[in-house]
Amino acid sequence: MIAAVVMDLDGTLIESTDLWRAARRDSAATGDEVAVHESATDYVLERADTLEPVPGAEALVHAVAAHVPVVVATTAPARYAAVLTDLMPGLFEPVSSIVVGDFAERHTPIDLHRTVLDSLGMASENVVALLNSTSGLLDACTLGMRARGIPHPSRPLPRELAGVGIPVSPTHHHAAVTLLRMFRTEGVIPPRWRLGKQLLAV
């Protein structure tokens, strides 16, 4: 039975991918990898008021969090996540926890997924990983999580993911509908629960 859902922050919930790309270009000559990462974070935070949720992200989070804990995961530092939670309370209010990375300790996305599982204290097969990167999805599968792709509208995921058993939701609305149907099938919500009513806001 699904007991929790973990979601990517950048690109899945927040329209931030282009800003991070610009930040890394701007910071490329600032020193070693850690210094570049810190400089890029400063660059993004100086422009954080330009960031917005991905269309449909807020409705997705609210729909899922009404039934199971939602964990947001990011390899960005805690100070970045803290600013976003202040700027977008409607998006983050239903979130149970945010797990952040520590670039200085070379934490990788798979390390982040392990931390999420440790923090939840749940078996990996009971956790859905809703992610927008191929590497992250494959890492989640490696750990036994139930991976589901949700690409950024301008950056589709490769079709080959289906060949390794990773389904892809083309939109946030599709992801919400699919997860709620899974909740009903697996007994998270009652079999007679009406899907349409729940999704009015999605």
Side-chain angles (χ1 to χ4, degrees):
M1 180 185 293
I2 298 171
V5 175
V6 57
M7 302 182 188
D8 271 335
L9 178 57
D10 294 299
T12 298
L13 299 180
I14 303 294
E15 290 272 19
S16 54
T17 307
D18 289 341
L19 185 57
W20 275 107
R21 186 176 290 113
R24 293 187 181 100
R25 285 198 304 266
D26 185 79
S27 307
T30 56
D32 61 18
E33 284 187 76
V34 174
V36 169
H37 189 69
E38 287 300 314
S39 178
T41 301
D42 291 339
Y43 180 101
V44 171
L45 289 178
E46 288 167 3
R47 298 159 178 81
D49 59 353
T50 67
L51 296 175
E52 295 181 349
V54 173
E58 188 170 321
L60 168 64
V61 171
H62 281 259
V64 173
H67 303 288
V68 298
V70 171
V71 178
V72 172
T74 177
T75 53
R79 61 193 179 103
Y80 171 67
V83 169
L84 292 184
T85 57
D86 288 340
L87 287 173
M88 304 175 199
L91 174 64
F92 290 98
E93 187 274 332
V95 172
S96 296
S97 61
I98 301 175
V99 177
V100 299
D102 186 339
F103 191 84
E105 295 185 13
R106 296 295 193 272
H107 286 176
T108 64
I110 198 167
D111 293 329
L112 197 65
H113 293 326
R114 290 192 181 101
T115 301
V116 168
L117 292 173
D118 289 344
S119 70
L120 288 168
M122 298 174 181
S124 59
E125 62 267 23
N126 295 333
V127 180
V128 173
L130 198 58
L131 313 171
N132 71 345
S133 73
T134 301
S135 59
L137 289 163
L138 294 174
D139 285 344
C141 282
T142 297
L143 294 175
M145 301 169 79
R146 297 165 68 169
R148 172 169 288 273
I150 181 167
H152 187 277
S154 65
R155 299 173 188 85
L157 288 165
R159 294 181 180 179
E160 289 76 12
L161 287 174
V164 293
I166 300 176
V168 176
S169 287
T171 66
H172 286 65
H173 181 271
H174 183 278
V177 171
T178 301
L179 286 171
L180 291 171
R181 285 176 174 158
M182 291 167 68
F183 293 166
R184 186 169 57 186
T185 299
E186 298 187 21
V188 177
I189 53 182
R192 294 187 179 182
W193 176 84
R194 296 184 67 182
L195 183 65
K197 184 177 179 181
Q198 174 72 25
L199 287 173
L200 286 176
V202 178

